[in-house]
Amino acid sequence: MPTKPSKSILHYIFVAFCWLYAAFSLYPLIWMLFYSFKNNQEIFVTNPFGFPWPLHYENYITAWTKYDVPLYFLNSLIVSIGTVVITIFCALLFSYATSRMIWKGRHFTRLFLGLGMFIPVQAIMIPVVKVVQGFHLTGTRWSLIFPYVAINLAFACMVYYGFFRGIPRELEEAACMDGATIYQTFFQIIEPLVRPATVTLVIYIFLNAWNEFILANVLVGSIPTLKTLPLGVLFFQGEFTTDWGGMGATMVIASFPAILVYSFFSEQVENAMTIGGAVKG
Amino acid sequence: MKKYMGNKLAIFLFILPALAIFLIFDFIPILQVFAYSFTQWNGLTTPTFTGLENYFRLFQDRVFVTSNKNQLIFAILITVYQMLFATIFAITISDAKMKGRKFLRVAYFIPVILSVTVVCQLWSAILSGQGLLNKLFEAFGSDYTQNWLGDRYKAIYVIAFVNAWQWMGYQFALIVAGIKSISTDYYEAARIDGCTNAGAHRHITIPLLAETYKFCLVISLTGGIKAFTEMNILTGGGPNKSTYTLTYMMYNAAFKKSEYGYGLAAATVMVLECMIVMLVINFIFRDKDQRKEEERSRRKRHAD
């Protein structure tokens, strides 16, 4: 990067602006964290902006016991993990077959699945609801998992394809000589080689599924026992809410796993989220 | 070996799960969107074919015009906001000597990993009549307080801002990754030639980020066309249908009025708009590459 001994005034203006915007980006979230520890009186009258004192941690107990938050949390967790596992499994197998195995139509099949990148989720919500009803999946968590897998597959296959292409042919030849079946070769030799891609994809797909709203809204929005956290948060919709502290606590709980993942794997998360830049354009 | 890697049964078993799920839950649905947009369908009985009737009705609908206008405002606002700020921050932070770079990156990126419903709920709390923003104005003794989402002329801008605020960090991360991939040799050469910092960024960084910008443009412009969630949560399309988009029209027609065919016609138009935008962006950027290529070959000929 270019560095000169004397920095212009413009540079300092930009740096100051960077910090100002960081505050603008973070303060709403900190405010949310603060008001999750306040009661209504403090939020609206005595202390709308600052640090909460005394801490009304009972908001979290209320959220956890009164508002079905554990149920939403469990639903989100099951759906997200299910989506991750099935997507990774399907994408691994599919990309292996289309990138390294030899058969007619492999390029066409791969490109066909790649079309999934250009299908907007917003457009397909009506038919997906009908398909889910047609398979009698309504009322189960599968009604969310299968559509989530479908919308994540194209991207996962694209990423795996790039990784599989970089593996030397000799590995499979050697395995073949040694008498391993194609299944053994794949699961014991090839799959471990693409673990870095798997890690990236696990994070990416997990966050996608954890935060998904559009399909969840139409698929399980009216089924209280199956709601995921993004839907649970909307329970407090509008200005008719009376318990703001409880709402703040629910939102903090809903965001916590994503922030936890991000704080442990910040580099991988940023890579995972922006890896699309290389493929999607 | 060829037989080993061409094991028909294995290939079939390997591609089957992915292909089946993709076909059933993604590909056939999008075909159904197109097909049923030519029918009248209440979602329960068999659809009846009505030709282009839904489309004629759609193009005469006043909400259709509002929706397209809103999508355009949304798309332009988030594109300008995100690309402008993301570029400024990414370039400023690319200076390795700057303090607190890591912290700034996290600060910009955190909204991206939050659920869109949390972000919308949070901003609806900030923007409501009793909310944080009005409190802030009160604290400074200003009487500029208002219900920010209740004004039919302003609501769409406020909604677009919420989206831009959440996703700025995404484009920021993309541009940071783009800058990282530029060789430092270029800047070295520029410095030797006596180029200023600003000049180096103007003539090296930004032109070399063309591919990144192309992607940023695609996601924010199509993001504007597809806008739905923010409207759904923050205003419910209101006040007085002033924040509708095509997706919201579809949602409303299908799930509130059971006019599935009509809703799917709106969805089809939305998908077509996305495709046109992508084609146009690809055309503009390819055009530049081609022009450079042509320029180069012309110069070569002159040199000969």
PDB file of all heavy atoms in Angstrom, chain B residues 110-129:
ATOM      1  N   ILE B 110     -20.392  -6.549  11.539  1.00  0.00           N
ATOM      2  CA  ILE B 110     -21.331  -7.204  12.451  1.00  0.00           C
ATOM      3  C   ILE B 110     -22.802  -7.127  12.003  1.00  0.00           C
ATOM      4  O   ILE B 110     -23.509  -8.132  12.061  1.00  0.00           O
ATOM      5  CB  ILE B 110     -21.127  -6.689  13.893  1.00  0.00           C
ATOM      6  CG1 ILE B 110     -20.080  -7.591  14.553  1.00  0.00           C
ATOM      7  CG2 ILE B 110     -22.408  -6.709  14.695  1.00  0.00           C
ATOM      8  CD1 ILE B 110     -19.981  -7.486  16.023  1.00  0.00           C
ATOM      9  N   PRO B 111     -23.306  -5.996  11.505  1.00  0.00           N
ATOM     10  CA  PRO B 111     -24.714  -6.008  11.088  1.00  0.00           C
ATOM     11  C   PRO B 111     -25.019  -7.060  10.016  1.00  0.00           C
ATOM     12  O   PRO B 111     -26.132  -7.567   9.948  1.00  0.00           O
ATOM     13  CB  PRO B 111     -24.939  -4.600  10.542  1.00  0.00           C
ATOM     14  CG  PRO B 111     -23.935  -3.759  11.221  1.00  0.00           C
ATOM     15  CD  PRO B 111     -22.734  -4.637  11.415  1.00  0.00           C
ATOM     16  N   VAL B 112     -24.020  -7.404   9.201  1.00  0.00           N
ATOM     17  CA  VAL B 112     -24.241  -8.365   8.123  1.00  0.00           C
ATOM     18  C   VAL B 112     -24.634  -9.734   8.666  1.00  0.00           C
ATOM     19  O   VAL B 112     -25.458 -10.430   8.079  1.00  0.00           O
ATOM     20  CB  VAL B 112     -22.975  -8.492   7.248  1.00  0.00           C
ATOM     21  CG1 VAL B 112     -23.148  -9.564   6.188  1.00  0.00           C
ATOM     22  CG2 VAL B 112     -22.648  -7.170   6.598  1.00  0.00           C
ATOM     23  N   ILE B 113     -24.045 -10.118   9.795  1.00  0.00           N
ATOM     24  CA  ILE B 113     -24.299 -11.478  10.281  1.00  0.00           C
ATOM     25  C   ILE B 113     -25.559 -11.568  11.138  1.00  0.00           C
ATOM     26  O   ILE B 113     -25.920 -12.639  11.584  1.00  0.00           O
ATOM     27  CB  ILE B 113     -23.096 -12.043  11.070  1.00  0.00           C
ATOM     28  CG1 ILE B 113     -22.779 -11.133  12.239  1.00  0.00           C
ATOM     29  CG2 ILE B 113     -21.890 -12.220  10.181  1.00  0.00           C
ATOM     30  CD1 ILE B 113     -21.955 -11.829  13.277  1.00  0.00           C
ATOM     31  N   LEU B 114     -26.234 -10.433  11.356  1.00  0.00           N
ATOM     32  CA  LEU B 114     -27.464 -10.493  12.139  1.00  0.00           C
ATOM     33  C   LEU B 114     -28.636 -10.843  11.237  1.00  0.00           C
ATOM     34  O   LEU B 114     -28.615 -10.587  10.036  1.00  0.00           O
ATOM     35  CB  LEU B 114     -27.730  -9.144  12.808  1.00  0.00           C
ATOM     36  CG  LEU B 114     -26.695  -8.691  13.812  1.00  0.00           C
ATOM     37  CD1 LEU B 114     -27.110  -7.363  14.399  1.00  0.00           C
ATOM     38  CD2 LEU B 114     -26.517  -9.719  14.905  1.00  0.00           C
ATOM     39  N   SER B 115     -29.666 -11.410  11.863  1.00  0.00           N
ATOM     40  CA  SER B 115     -30.867 -11.720  11.097  1.00  0.00           C
ATOM     41  C   SER B 115     -31.539 -10.424  10.657  1.00  0.00           C
ATOM     42  O   SER B 115     -31.570  -9.444  11.389  1.00  0.00           O
ATOM     43  CB  SER B 115     -31.828 -12.524  11.955  1.00  0.00           C
ATOM     44  OG  SER B 115     -33.084 -12.543  11.344  1.00  0.00           O
ATOM     45  N   VAL B 116     -32.065 -10.448   9.445  1.00  0.00           N
ATOM     46  CA  VAL B 116     -32.718  -9.252   8.926  1.00  0.00           C
ATOM     47  C   VAL B 116     -33.910  -8.860   9.802  1.00  0.00           C
ATOM     48  O   VAL B 116     -34.211  -7.677   9.949  1.00  0.00           O
ATOM     49  CB  VAL B 116     -33.113  -9.459   7.450  1.00  0.00           C
ATOM     50  CG1 VAL B 116     -34.158 -10.524   7.295  1.00  0.00           C
ATOM     51  CG2 VAL B 116     -33.584  -8.181   6.820  1.00  0.00           C
ATOM     52  N   THR B 117     -34.546  -9.827  10.443  1.00  0.00           N
ATOM     53  CA  THR B 117     -35.677  -9.463  11.300  1.00  0.00           C
ATOM     54  C   THR B 117     -35.213  -8.742  12.558  1.00  0.00           C
ATOM     55  O   THR B 117     -35.880  -7.833  13.036  1.00  0.00           O
ATOM     56  CB  THR B 117     -36.507 -10.689  11.729  1.00  0.00           C
ATOM     57  OG1 THR B 117     -35.661 -11.601  12.396  1.00  0.00           O
ATOM     58  CG2 THR B 117     -37.142 -11.370  10.549  1.00  0.00           C
ATOM     59  N   VAL B 118     -34.052  -9.138  13.087  1.00  0.00           N
ATOM     60  CA  VAL B 118     -33.527  -8.435  14.258  1.00  0.00           C
ATOM     61  C   VAL B 118     -33.196  -6.996  13.884  1.00  0.00           C
ATOM     62  O   VAL B 118     -33.543  -6.053  14.603  1.00  0.00           O
ATOM     63  CB  VAL B 118     -32.282  -9.157  14.822  1.00  0.00           C
ATOM     64  CG1 VAL B 118     -31.572  -8.297  15.847  1.00  0.00           C
ATOM     65  CG2 VAL B 118     -32.669 -10.485  15.435  1.00  0.00           C
ATOM     66  N   VAL B 119     -32.544  -6.826  12.730  1.00  0.00           N
ATOM     67  CA  VAL B 119     -32.169  -5.481  12.290  1.00  0.00           C
ATOM     68  C   VAL B 119     -33.416  -4.627  12.072  1.00  0.00           C
ATOM     69  O   VAL B 119     -33.481  -3.467  12.498  1.00  0.00           O
ATOM     70  CB  VAL B 119     -31.305  -5.558  11.017  1.00  0.00           C
ATOM     71  CG1 VAL B 119     -31.112  -4.187  10.417  1.00  0.00           C
ATOM     72  CG2 VAL B 119     -29.964  -6.184  11.332  1.00  0.00           C
ATOM     73  N   CYS B 120     -34.419  -5.189  11.430  1.00  0.00           N
ATOM     74  CA  CYS B 120     -35.642  -4.426  11.168  1.00  0.00           C
ATOM     75  C   CYS B 120     -36.350  -4.070  12.474  1.00  0.00           C
ATOM     76  O   CYS B 120     -36.818  -2.949  12.652  1.00  0.00           O
ATOM     77  CB  CYS B 120     -36.593  -5.213  10.273  1.00  0.00           C
ATOM     78  SG  CYS B 120     -36.044  -5.288   8.585  1.00  0.00           S
ATOM     79  N   GLN B 121     -36.420  -5.030  13.372  1.00  0.00           N
ATOM     80  CA  GLN B 121     -37.080  -4.786  14.652  1.00  0.00           C
ATOM     81  C   GLN B 121     -36.346  -3.705  15.429  1.00  0.00           C
ATOM     82  O   GLN B 121     -36.949  -2.826  16.022  1.00  0.00           O
ATOM     83  CB  GLN B 121     -37.091  -6.108  15.433  1.00  0.00           C
ATOM     84  CG  GLN B 121     -38.073  -6.172  16.541  1.00  0.00           C
ATOM     85  CD  GLN B 121     -39.481  -6.341  16.023  1.00  0.00           C
ATOM     86  OE1 GLN B 121     -39.966  -5.528  15.252  1.00  0.00           O
ATOM     87  NE2 GLN B 121     -40.147  -7.386  16.445  1.00  0.00           N
ATOM     88  N   LEU B 122     -35.028  -3.777  15.369  1.00  0.00           N
ATOM     89  CA  LEU B 122     -34.197  -2.797  16.057  1.00  0.00           C
ATOM     90  C   LEU B 122     -34.444  -1.401  15.494  1.00  0.00           C
ATOM     91  O   LEU B 122     -34.678  -0.440  16.234  1.00  0.00           O
ATOM     92  CB  LEU B 122     -32.726  -3.197  15.883  1.00  0.00           C
ATOM     93  CG  LEU B 122     -31.668  -2.269  16.444  1.00  0.00           C
ATOM     94  CD1 LEU B 122     -31.855  -2.145  17.937  1.00  0.00           C
ATOM     95  CD2 LEU B 122     -30.295  -2.824  16.138  1.00  0.00           C
ATOM     96  N   TRP B 123     -34.431  -1.287  14.169  1.00  0.00           N
ATOM     97  CA  TRP B 123     -34.630   0.034  13.577  1.00  0.00           C
ATOM     98  C   TRP B 123     -36.061   0.500  13.721  1.00  0.00           C
ATOM     99  O   TRP B 123     -36.311   1.705  13.787  1.00  0.00           O
ATOM    100  CB  TRP B 123     -34.184   0.037  12.109  1.00  0.00           C
ATOM    101  CG  TRP B 123     -32.715   0.227  12.012  1.00  0.00           C
ATOM    102  CD1 TRP B 123     -31.780  -0.742  11.859  1.00  0.00           C
ATOM    103  CD2 TRP B 123     -32.002   1.456  12.133  1.00  0.00           C
ATOM    104  NE1 TRP B 123     -30.520  -0.192  11.873  1.00  0.00           N
ATOM    105  CE2 TRP B 123     -30.635   1.152  12.030  1.00  0.00           C
ATOM    106  CE3 TRP B 123     -32.379   2.786  12.318  1.00  0.00           C
ATOM    107  CZ2 TRP B 123     -29.646   2.124  12.102  1.00  0.00           C
ATOM    108  CZ3 TRP B 123     -31.395   3.756  12.382  1.00  0.00           C
ATOM    109  CH2 TRP B 123     -30.044   3.421  12.282  1.00  0.00           C
ATOM    110  N   SER B 124     -36.985  -0.424  13.771  1.00  0.00           N
ATOM    111  CA  SER B 124     -38.352   0.028  13.983  1.00  0.00           C
ATOM    112  C   SER B 124     -38.488   0.600  15.390  1.00  0.00           C
ATOM    113  O   SER B 124     -39.221   1.557  15.608  1.00  0.00           O
ATOM    114  CB  SER B 124     -39.336  -1.100  13.670  1.00  0.00           C
ATOM    115  OG  SER B 124     -40.014  -1.511  14.789  1.00  0.00           O
ATOM    116  N   ALA B 125     -37.714   0.061  16.335  1.00  0.00           N
ATOM    117  CA  ALA B 125     -37.708   0.644  17.677  1.00  0.00           C
ATOM    118  C   ALA B 125     -37.032   2.012  17.674  1.00  0.00           C
ATOM    119  O   ALA B 125     -37.434   2.917  18.400  1.00  0.00           O
ATOM    120  CB  ALA B 125     -36.995  -0.293  18.656  1.00  0.00           C
ATOM    121  N   ILE B 126     -36.002   2.159  16.850  1.00  0.00           N
ATOM    122  CA  ILE B 126     -35.301   3.442  16.800  1.00  0.00           C
ATOM    123  C   ILE B 126     -36.153   4.515  16.115  1.00  0.00           C
ATOM    124  O   ILE B 126     -36.174   5.666  16.513  1.00  0.00           O
ATOM    125  CB  ILE B 126     -33.956   3.274  16.058  1.00  0.00           C
ATOM    126  CG1 ILE B 126     -33.006   2.402  16.878  1.00  0.00           C
ATOM    127  CG2 ILE B 126     -33.311   4.626  15.783  1.00  0.00           C
ATOM    128  CD1 ILE B 126     -31.735   2.037  16.173  1.00  0.00           C
ATOM    129  N   LEU B 127     -36.881   4.087  15.064  1.00  0.00           N
ATOM    130  CA  LEU B 127     -37.570   5.060  14.218  1.00  0.00           C
ATOM    131  C   LEU B 127     -39.003   5.351  14.638  1.00  0.00           C
ATOM    132  O   LEU B 127     -39.622   6.273  14.113  1.00  0.00           O
ATOM    133  CB  LEU B 127     -37.588   4.555  12.769  1.00  0.00           C
ATOM    134  CG  LEU B 127     -36.234   4.411  12.096  1.00  0.00           C
ATOM    135  CD1 LEU B 127     -36.363   3.580  10.843  1.00  0.00           C
ATOM    136  CD2 LEU B 127     -35.648   5.769  11.770  1.00  0.00           C
ATOM    137  N   SER B 128     -39.543   4.563  15.583  1.00  0.00           N
ATOM    138  CA  SER B 128     -40.950   4.760  15.922  1.00  0.00           C
ATOM    139  C   SER B 128     -41.151   6.102  16.641  1.00  0.00           C
ATOM    140  O   SER B 128     -40.193   6.780  17.010  1.00  0.00           O
ATOM    141  CB  SER B 128     -41.430   3.613  16.806  1.00  0.00           C
ATOM    142  OG  SER B 128     -40.874   3.760  18.084  1.00  0.00           O
ATOM    143  N   GLY B 129     -42.426   6.452  16.820  1.00  0.00           N
ATOM    144  CA  GLY B 129     -42.750   7.755  17.410  1.00  0.00           C
ATOM    145  C   GLY B 129     -42.067   8.000  18.750  1.00  0.00           C
ATOM    146  O   GLY B 129     -41.613   9.102  19.036  1.00  0.00           O
TER     147      GLY B 129
END
